[in-house]
Amino acid sequence: MQLDPTDEQAMIVRTAREFATRVLAPRAAARDQSEQFPVEELGELARLGLLGVNVPAAYGGAQAGPVAYALAMMELARADASVTVAVTVTNMAAELICQWGNEAQRERWVGKLIGGPYVVGSFALSEPHAGSDAGSLHTLATRLPGGGYRLRGTKQWITSGSHAGLFVVWAKTDLAAGQRGLSAFVVEKGTPGLSAGKPEDKMGLRGSSTVQLLLDDVEVGPDALLGREGDGFRIAMTALDGGRIGIASQAVGIATAALEASTRYAKERVQFGAPIANLQAIQLMLADMATWRDAARLLTLRAAWLKESGQSYTLAASIAKLVASEKCSKICDMAVQIHGGYGYTREFPVERYLRDARVTRIYEGTSEIQRVVIAREVLRDMT
Ligand code: CAA
């Protein structure tokens, strides 16, 4: 594993950092309060190639690889985790179509997904009664007599669902086959019968929109099917392996922002006649925060590097996501503690970091599901 970034990776990091510092950071608090979806910012991110970092150039992507992707998401999340989740889900949907779609599907959708016309993409797997147990979904896809499918059901927790131009939607094509009866479809915004519910009133990531997605007899052509009928569960799982690197990167970015804000504050805030950074109680917290952030960052880059070098990375991605999300929450909590009463107000950004961090332990597989995956992989390796 190469620890120094290549020239190309360094360039992507510079691009992401410059944009994050100049455009995202100054308005992050306002977006959190107004809950305004960042349409303009996402347009600029599309122009910079950051909606398709690991997408082949042939389809309009930056083709910079999973390590560059992880590094870029860390930079964006350091400035605004709300914008970052829309970016990670779009990258995940684009990679998924590149991996599982045929040439015509890749040409038809990927460029528009990562290049601006669709704004962002959504990943519509979860349902009101199918969260961690992703294979138990109820949405049905019935074959139409003339070819194509009719989709009917309700999806839940759909990131960017109110603004996305393209949705990857999972549905059952075979009721008797359990997980092997799931299939994945691409559905474009504006397809009759497709609508988004009202945005959820969330604790954090308030600049991102999370909605129910209603599929009321949505008809799609046969070319909307990704892979073959029955491939859906495997498509979801492989996409989530990569998605978990994105969420781990998001957590590392939030943790970095919390550590930096705390270090700054500790040097400025004077108590007992000296900056609180001189107090060992504060130093111990900063030491833990820096240690956990670095551990999470290295685990995340290891998972990305395994993916980049074509090796199995399911285990590494779940380990990275588990450690990064859990430690990020602790780091943000300590950041509030270091800021004292001020940290509990909106005058400082650390309360937002704490709220934003919380969901990284839930979405794209809870910490408990990451442990399930890790245990299975470890036990399989031992046999
Ligand atoms: N890669 C490829 N195939 C995989 C796989 C992987 N990582 N994981 C499982 N599979 C395959 C298995 O090999 C198996 O194949 P066969 O049927 O051919 O044997 C099949 O899938 C079923 O696997 P399991 O027996 O492991 O399935 P399970 O139901 O016991 O458990 C689970 C699976 C890990 C719990 C899974 O349901 C899971 O990951 N749940 C969490 C769901 C999740 O992460 N949701 C996130 C929603 S999306 C989101 O949050 C995005 C957003 O907007 C932010």
Side-chain angles (χ1 to χ4, degrees):
M1 176 172 155
Q2 157 116 15
L3 288 178
D4 288 334
T6 63
D7 289 348
E8 190 184 25
Q9 288 162 356
M11 193 190 73
I12 297 272
V13 170
R14 270 197 308 276
T15 303
R17 182 174 298 176
E18 193 281 325
F19 181 77
T21 310
R22 179 174 56 81
V23 179
L24 296 185
R27 296 213 61 249
R31 262 190 300 275
D32 175 60
Q33 291 195 26
S34 68
E35 297 177 63
Q36 197 181 350
F37 192 79
V39 175
E40 268 178 43
E41 291 82 348
L42 287 162
E44 290 189 53
L45 285 159
R47 277 190 288 284
L48 293 172
L50 293 171
L51 297 191
V53 179
N54 185 35
V55 167
Y59 308 109
Q63 200 172 317
V67 172
Y69 169 67
L71 291 168
M73 295 310 112
M74 290 173 191
E75 293 298 333
L76 298 184
R78 182 172 157 240
D80 190 334
S82 287
V83 177
T84 310
V85 72
V87 176
T88 60
V89 173
T90 305
N91 273 277
M92 176 164 66
E95 283 193 41
L96 180 165
I97 297 171
C98 286
Q99 184 181 352
W100 293 91
N102 58 35
E103 187 56 26
Q105 291 172 321
R106 290 193 285 261
E107 280 183 6
R108 179 170 165 199
W109 288 312
V110 176
K112 284 195 273 184
L113 176 56
I114 63 175
Y118 283 154
V119 186
V120 275
S122 280
F123 189 89
L125 175 67
S126 300
E127 297 187 356
H129 302 287
S132 291
D133 187 4
S136 69
L137 53 82
H138 291 174
T139 295
L140 280 185
T142 37
R143 284 200 202 183
L144 293 168
Y149 300 84
R150 178 182 293 126
L151 307 182
R152 189 169 184 80
T154 302
K155 295 291 172 177
Q156 185 76 24
W157 316 123
I158 305 309
T159 299
S160 309
S162 51
H163 290 78
L166 178 148
F167 301 80
V168 182
V169 176
W170 277 263
K172 275 196 164 145
T173 40
D174 183 344
L175 284 173
Q179 284 156 342
R180 292 186 185 186
L182 299 194
S183 303
F185 300 89
V186 172
V187 182
E188 288 173 279
K189 183 178 185 168
T191 307
L194 180 74
S195 62
K198 73 172 177 46
E200 301 290 346
D201 190 6
K202 306 192 297 291
M203 171 184 179
L205 294 189
R206 293 179 70 83
S208 82
S209 147
T210 308
V211 296
Q212 259 198 353
L213 189 68
L214 310 170
L215 297 130
D216 188 8
D217 288 341
V218 173
E219 293 191 4
V220 293
D223 52 352
L225 177 70
L226 290 171
R228 291 164 308 174
E229 280 189 19
D231 281 344
F233 197 72
R234 211 149 57 89
I235 294 176
M237 290 300 113
T238 50
L240 283 167
D241 282 346
R244 287 165 185 165
I245 297 176
I247 301 307
S249 307
Q250 182 193 31
V252 171
I254 301 168
T256 302
L259 174 61
E260 289 170 350
S262 302
T263 310
R264 227 174 7 250
Y265 185 80
K267 286 182 179 170
E268 285 164 7
R269 171 75 171 162
V270 173
Q271 289 291 279
F272 307 107
I276 60 171
N278 291 3
L279 301 171
Q280 204 173 48
I282 301 295
Q283 292 172 3
L284 294 178
M285 282 195 269
L286 290 173
D288 280 349
M289 292 160 79
T291 305
W292 294 336
R293 191 282 312 266
D294 274 11
R297 188 173 188 278
L298 285 167
L299 286 171
T300 304
L301 292 176
R302 178 185 69 155
W305 174 79
L306 286 170
K307 181 177 176 187
E308 187 147 326
S309 54
Q311 300 180 61
S312 163
Y313 65 96
T314 299
L315 172 62
S318 279
I319 289 176
K321 204 255 187 194
L322 176 64
V323 172
S325 61
E326 291 289 332
K327 292 304 183 193
C328 178
S329 279
K330 288 201 161 53
I331 289 168
C332 293
D333 189 59
M334 282 184 171
V336 171
Q337 195 68 15
I338 289 172
H339 282 71
Y342 294 106
Y344 198 60
T345 71
R346 291 196 171 163
E347 198 180 328
F348 287 85
V350 287
E351 63 83 31
R352 170 165 54 87
Y353 300 153
L354 181 61
R355 287 186 287 109
D356 287 351
R358 188 61 183 84
V359 76
T360 65
R361 290 157 60 193
I362 298 172
Y363 62 21
E364 301 212 11
T366 61
S367 290
E368 292 68 31
I369 289 295
Q370 304 313 321
R371 289 183 175 97
V372 167
V373 174
I374 292 164
R376 282 183 186 181
E377 294 288 318
V378 167
L379 288 167
R380 183 177 308 139
D381 282 354
M382 296 288 174
T383 54

